[in-house]
Amino acid sequence: MCGIVGYLGTQNAYDILIKGLHRLEYRGYDSAGVALVDNNGQLNVYKTKGKVSNLEDYCKDKNINGTVGIAHTRWATHGEPSDKNAHPHYSQSKNIALIHNGIIENYLSLKTFLSSKGYVFKSDTDTEVLVQLIEYMMNEHDLPLYEAVYQALTQVTGAYAIGVIEKNNPNELITARIASPLIIGVGKDEFFLGSDASPIVEYTKDVIYPEDRQVIRIVRGKEIEIRSLDNKSLIKPEVKQIQLSLEDIEKGGFEHFMLKEIFEQPKSLSLCMNGRLQREQKEIILSGIQNYGERFAKARRILISACGTSWHAGLIGKYLFETLCRIPVDVEVASEFRYRNPVIYPDDVLIAISQSGETADTLAAMELAKKQGAFIYGICNVVGSSVARLTDSGTYTHAGPEIGVASTKAFTTQVCILAMTALAVAKQMETISTEDYKRIVTELCNIEEKIETILSKTEEVKEISKIFTYARNFLYLGRGFNYPVAMEGALKLKEISYIHAEGYPAAEMKHGPIALIDEEMPIVVVAPRYQMYNKILSNVVEVKSRKGKILAIVTEGDTDIKRLADYVIEIPQTEECLSPLLTVIPLQLLSYYIAIAKGRDVDQQRNLAKSVTVE
Ligand code: G6P
């Protein structure tokens, strides 16, 4: 949700900033802009509505010189996507430019105050208030840039990662953060800012992860200076190494990141299980559970809180923990949980699931549960993210960077971690027999290979997808472990193809959605052969009697549903509790190819953002 980039060094900043914006475009892409201080002391701001490529066109005949600059790709919150609302924003005198990811909550009162002092606002954004406030601090209190930023930040509430530069000060770049991601790259005589490491990795692996409430001054030729926003104390920068490689953030020959990430799933699951799944011994070793398993064993209840696709993974987590560990589980969308004054007991365990580790509502749910004494366990992908920092313990999914806005490999690795965690806890609590434990763990060892088998049927899925591009509505049905998979399949379809789709527990269909079924209506039934098979078979018959077009995801060798369905995709046999790891793959492919057939922009869908850092 908005991406920020910054550079101060010896090279021309523009190229680095534009490349960085392209890498961060997954965070938002309704407008983009860049600000540069050139060698003649000019502060130039160029910004346009639309994608980063529009900005590049716009800048073709402009002065793009300068070795210090900031740039931004936007996902609109305050103010519609437009040239004037794009970042960077100038201050009144045009001496300062600022980029911002986050939200300034008290912008209205600050705007009223600044307006009374003669400041005129050119945009509808909350961000412009901050750059004006910085200028006010400079003028009113005769402060240098760094001090003015510091003083201004003591007046604002909200979330932010910012970058600030000044016309008269081409040797300085100021940045700060609260609750929005920020990484500083440290090169030889050069520094980089990024909302994540992707704009930085090409130039340096040495990075600093600023903590919340830190204000940072980067001065050409000097050591970086970090101060706490609370008491101005000096903080020693801690330089860490990023593990990311350039290959991880490029498409690697695939047409879209989404397709690359779908195909990466065998590898991302391997990385996810690496060192945790002991393939020889058929054991699961999770340090989080080794150290804190007791907390789970004694839990009165597990609460799972997340948003979007991560919430769907959480719904599967409920089936896993209740089936394997016999611990009651409540799963809640974080945005509801945080505001409804939920009952939380100190002996609850809250599992927060998040790919980005930055989703504002998920973080708020964690804080709420933490305040009430619950034990906080995190499952997240981005190392060092806010979710990771807020947990008492947890497990990284190690899926590698997920760039496609529609989440795919993050989902399967989250389900995999939930399965491994539930198995490890069940073993510790002795709620699972040794035989069942070994059998499921053995199946986990085979899961990557089984996903490869499904991926080898991509052409089959592609052909089927062509048949369904006419549809305006889809219904996805599933039961048990595969009911959340039906919801995830429907979400994938609507977010990338803009076709309306609903995921439903198959039997619940009779209480409403059945009214929608006619010969036009495609129904995707997730129906692998497990204990509820006969029940779902009856549901398929009900759909068939109303002439719905059925696409069924079935276990290899199935004959019963095959006879009824119009189209069938087979998946290999596995344990029921692991089946979502397989059944979701054809649904991801189906949505991808339907969206392609409809000419949609698969990696950058309208209105969506990869990481939702505002509530
Ligand atoms: C956004 C993304 C989804 C994601 C959700 C939760 O809506 O587009 O793909 O599932 O946020 O994000 P998180 O990073 O917390 O998993």
Side-chain angles (χ1 to χ4, degrees), residues 251 254-261 592 596 602-603:
K251 286 190 198 146
F254 286 90
E255 204 177 331
H256 295 97
F257 280 111
M258 183 182 175
L259 192 62
K260 177 192 176 211
E261 287 157 7
Y592 175 80
I596 292 291
V602 168
D603 281 335

Side-chain angles (χ1 to χ4, degrees), residues 2-13:
C2 296
I4 67 165
V5 205
Y7 178 78
L8 185 149
T10 50
Q11 307 183 54
N12 208 329

Side-chain angles (χ1 to χ4, degrees), residues 585-597:
I585 309 286
L587 304 190
Q588 295 169 344
L589 287 167
L590 182 74
S591 63
Y592 175 80
Y593 284 111
I594 290 179
I596 292 291

Side-chain angles (χ1 to χ4, degrees), residues 307-310 353-359 362 402 405-407 414 492 495 608-612:
C307 302
T309 288
S310 299
I353 309 174
S354 175
Q355 186 286 128
S356 62
E358 302 296 344
T359 302
T362 306
E402 190 181 66
V405 174
S407 189
Q414 287 165 349
K492 285 290 86 79
E495 63 185 343
L608 294 180
K610 182 77 188 152
S611 162
V612 180

